[in-house]
Amino acid sequence: TTTRCSVVVVGAGFSGLSAAKLLAENGVEDVVILEAADRIGGRVRKEEFGGVSVELGAGWISGVGGKQSNPVWELACQSNLRTCFSDYSNARYNIYDDSGKIFPSRIAADSYKKAVESAIRKLRHEESNHDADLSVLAETPSVPKTPIELAIDFILHDFEMAEVEPISTYVDFGEREFLVVDERGYECLLYKMAENFLFTSEGKILESRLKLNKVVRELQHSRNGVSVKTEDGCIYEANYVILSVSIGVLQSDLISFNPPLPKWKTEAIANCEIMVYTKVFLKFPRKFWPCGPEKEFFIYANERRGYYTFWQHMENAYPGSNILVVTLTNGESKRVEAQSDQQTMKEAMEVLRKMFGPDIPDAIDILVPRWWNNRFQRGSYSNYPIYINHPLIDDIKAPLGRIYFTGEHTNEKFNGYVHGAYLSGIETSKALLEEMRTEKEGIGENQAFL
Ligand code: FAD
């Protein structure tokens, strides 16, 4: 079957839906959203686990309390979203060694200070590689070796870069972070955002607009239009396409382009790094970890960097739920995704017994999200080099004729965040509306070079 419409939006995550909403609000009503999964939300996704609702993807609203207001926080306020204030910085005073002892706070603070200084030296070093005049001043950064150094290095680089260099999210929106702990899930913000254009007054999805289980496999594009083919053999003809799939999906061969993407585009896509970030949830019959103030986050220091290092208990979020979360990244995420959940539970229990002794009870349930192996994601979020090369992100987001690119990875300031995805959708639709206006008047800017 062939369907005609003016714009096809591929993907119903935060960016795709905010893009579609802006188009609808500006009179472009015949938008069709094609979503590969059987639900909306993409990397914002809740699941029932251990009797509560846990977030497998985005968990925090980052950037609250500053001069400007974070649009995602505004949605949260409108939806009366239940959240908990989080302060990761305490984690550094809850560092356990292999024998279950907590490092004295003075040693932890010293190691932390050294690690921050070393990270700053590393930044300077990298900066000097970009600027010949600075190279004489830069010292070679030291390499972390002991378990505590490795643990702090992991925390600093995989969670807290804000301590070392300014992050736009904190500078613009404020430094506070709130964990979403609402049974309706983080995704209820999407429903809030989309309520007026995607749902009927009874809360049912407008099926003429949103098609679930539609896996886009081919984009055929010319100066006249775009033809979108899905895995189930449907064809959607449109004047324009907004592609909101993740950078990981763009790097994979899920979607083919006909004619193929030019070299500048494929090279830019290949050069963007992808972080894999995995929250492993463990449910216990009872709690055996300290729960007082400033104990929410704790760290396991081991000679293997990133090996079950960063832990959080969910007692503040859901009292009595007896759930722990351990966060893995990159290599460890991929390793754990490839093995059985039983094996992961066994490894996690060995680590917990080192911290809390042999008598703690076994976990009774485990949940391991697999963002890396999910063919509609292929990773958790984009990670641009610190010395971001502007042409790289410019090339990633530059439209190609009638194909517009959006998603967290196209947002220069806030990539990697939910608000980055949300704002990118708005930015992309603004650019497309402008293009549609000029096309009406004569030749569109992006058509000119085709
Ligand atoms: P997505 O949400 O990925 O939307 C793209 C959509 O396209 C998906 O629904 C996908 O199914 C669909 N799709 C893919 N391929 C196809 C195809 N071929 N055809 C049709 N549809 C397709 N951000 C924060 O702000 N705070 C956090 O605490 C936080 N933690 C995170 C933790 C994890 C584990 C992860 C994975 C992400 C986290 N993020 C966090 C990042 C945040 O979730 C993302 O930046 C944001 O949700 C991305 O939205 P998006 O619209 O760009 O992409």
Side-chain angles (χ1 to χ4, degrees):
T1 55
T2 302
T3 308
R4 262 218 64 84
C5 60
S6 73
V7 182
V8 163
V9 175
V10 181
F14 254 91
S15 65
L17 289 178
S18 76
K21 178 176 188 257
L22 192 81
L23 292 178
E25 284 169 356
N26 282 275
V28 185
E29 295 276 341
D30 60 337
V31 176
V32 172
I33 305 164
L34 302 175
E35 167 54 55
D38 59 1
R39 59 199 281 174
I40 66 171
R43 282 171 272 172
V44 168
R45 181 185 180 128
K46 70 158 186 187
E47 208 149 297
E48 296 306 310
F49 176 76
V52 298
S53 178
V54 295
E55 300 292 340
L56 308 194
W60 279 272
I61 301 177
S62 299
V64 180
K67 281 192 232 101
Q68 288 180 50
S69 149
N70 180 333
V72 174
W73 183 248
E74 282 176 13
L75 283 172
C77 295
Q78 287 160 22
S79 310
N80 292 319
L81 193 75
R82 202 181 141 237
T83 58
C84 259
F85 174 66
S86 276
D87 185 2
Y88 300 136
S89 65
N90 294 320
R92 72 187 75 155
Y93 302 114
N94 302 318
I95 306 180
Y96 290 80
D97 70 10
D98 252 342
S99 66
K101 282 205 289 292
I102 295 188
F103 283 92
S105 57
R106 191 183 45 77
I107 293 183
D110 276 359
S111 303
Y112 196 83
K113 196 163 150 248
K114 274 196 204 128
V116 171
E117 284 163 7
S118 167
I120 290 171
R121 276 203 297 281
K122 192 163 172 235
L123 271 179
R124 297 280 167 278
H125 194 69
E126 282 173 26
E127 198 174 30
S128 69
N129 290 338
H130 287 249
D131 184 345
D133 291 347
L134 288 173
S135 61
V136 279
L137 301 173
E139 295 171 56
T140 315
S142 57
V143 179
K145 289 187 202 74
T146 64
I148 187 166
E149 283 168 2
L150 285 161
I152 290 176
D153 185 71
F154 175 75
I155 303 307
L156 205 54
H157 290 276
D158 294 39
F159 297 89
E160 281 188 14
M161 273 313 275
E163 299 269 346
V164 179
E165 46 126 23
I167 297 215
S168 299
T169 287
Y170 302 124
V171 175
D172 286 13
F173 297 134
E175 292 190 1
R176 292 163 70 100
E177 310 204 48
F178 288 86
L179 183 68
V180 175
V181 289
D182 195 300
E183 291 291 349
R184 296 167 296 166
Y186 208 137
E187 67 195 44
C188 80
L189 302 191
L190 270 173
Y191 288 84
K192 181 78 196 162
M193 175 182 85
E195 65 187 357
N196 293 329
F197 89 107
L198 208 52
F199 301 99
T200 64
S201 50
E202 291 96 57
K204 290 209 184 81
I205 285 180
L206 276 174
E207 289 184 29
S208 54
R209 273 201 192 145
L210 174 66
K211 319 260 183 219
L212 298 173
N213 301 306
K214 291 287 180 187
V215 184
V216 170
R217 296 304 306 266
E218 193 185 334
L219 294 182
Q220 214 172 339
H221 55 117
S222 72
R223 59 191 310 153
N224 301 320
V226 190
S227 166
V228 181
K229 288 194 189 141
T230 54
E231 206 156 67
D232 59 1
C234 294
I235 295 174
Y236 298 82
E237 309 268 1
N239 297 338
Y240 295 98
V241 164
I242 293 181
L243 193 53
S244 83
V245 303
S246 70
I247 188 81
V249 169
L250 291 175
Q251 287 178 358
S252 77
D253 57 7
L254 185 64
I255 302 177
S256 64
F257 295 82
N258 183 7
L261 294 177
K263 197 159 167 251
W264 60 266
K265 190 68 153 182
T266 51
E267 274 181 6
I269 290 170
N271 284 335
C272 178
E273 226 181 85
I274 295 164
M275 275 287 286
V276 193
Y277 179 103
T278 312
K279 293 185 264 185
V280 173
F281 296 87
L282 292 155
K283 168 91 175 170
F284 294 89
R286 63 178 165 84
K287 71 172 193 272
F288 50 81
W289 49 87
C291 271
E294 298 167 5
K295 295 285 181 199
E296 181 176 0
F297 299 97
F298 54 97
I299 290 171
Y300 169 63
N302 179 260
E303 59 275 353
R304 204 162 139 183
R305 189 182 183 279
Y307 188 74
Y308 297 91
T309 307
F310 191 78
W311 293 80
Q312 179 185 7
H313 70 63
M314 294 206 55
E315 291 307 305
N316 297 358
Y318 293 116
S321 60
N322 301 336
I323 293 173
L324 287 179
V325 190
V326 58
T327 300
L328 309 171
T329 61
N330 300 330
E332 278 300 301
S333 291
K334 291 178 188 173
R335 187 182 69 76
V336 159
E337 279 197 23
Q339 72 187 12
S340 73
D341 292 355
Q342 265 51 49
Q343 177 61 21
T344 304
M345 197 196 271
K346 189 168 155 257
E347 291 171 1
M349 284 313 306
E350 280 164 12
V351 166
L352 286 169
R353 291 206 159 100
K354 284 189 175 146
M355 288 192 277
F356 299 107
D359 302 330
I360 61 169
D362 279 329
I364 49 177
D365 203 359
I366 184 167
L367 178 60
V368 184
R370 286 178 164 75
W371 295 105
W372 173 247
N373 281 293
N374 180 337
R375 70 180 179 131
F376 307 144
Q377 295 301 343
R378 297 270 169 219
S380 301
Y381 43 84
S382 64
N383 185 29
Y384 285 93
I386 289 169
Y387 283 100
I388 180 172
N389 178 344
H390 289 269
L392 175 62
I393 200 159
D394 288 349
D395 283 353
I396 285 175
K397 78 170 177 202
L400 196 78
R402 293 179 174 275
I403 304 174
Y404 279 67
F405 293 81
T406 197
E408 55 80 13
H409 54 282
T410 66
N411 191 296
E412 191 173 326
K413 268 184 141 178
F414 309 119
N415 73 284
Y417 290 103
V418 172
H419 52 272
Y422 174 81
L423 291 169
S424 74
I426 293 174
E427 193 186 319
T428 305
S429 277
K430 277 192 181 153
L432 176 54
L433 285 163
E434 188 51 37
E435 169 69 14
M436 288 165 119
R437 238 168 260 141
T438 42
E439 196 187 20
K440 245 192 195 165
E441 287 162 13
I443 181 148
E445 196 186 326
N446 289 310
Q447 312 311 312
F449 72 87
L450 276 182

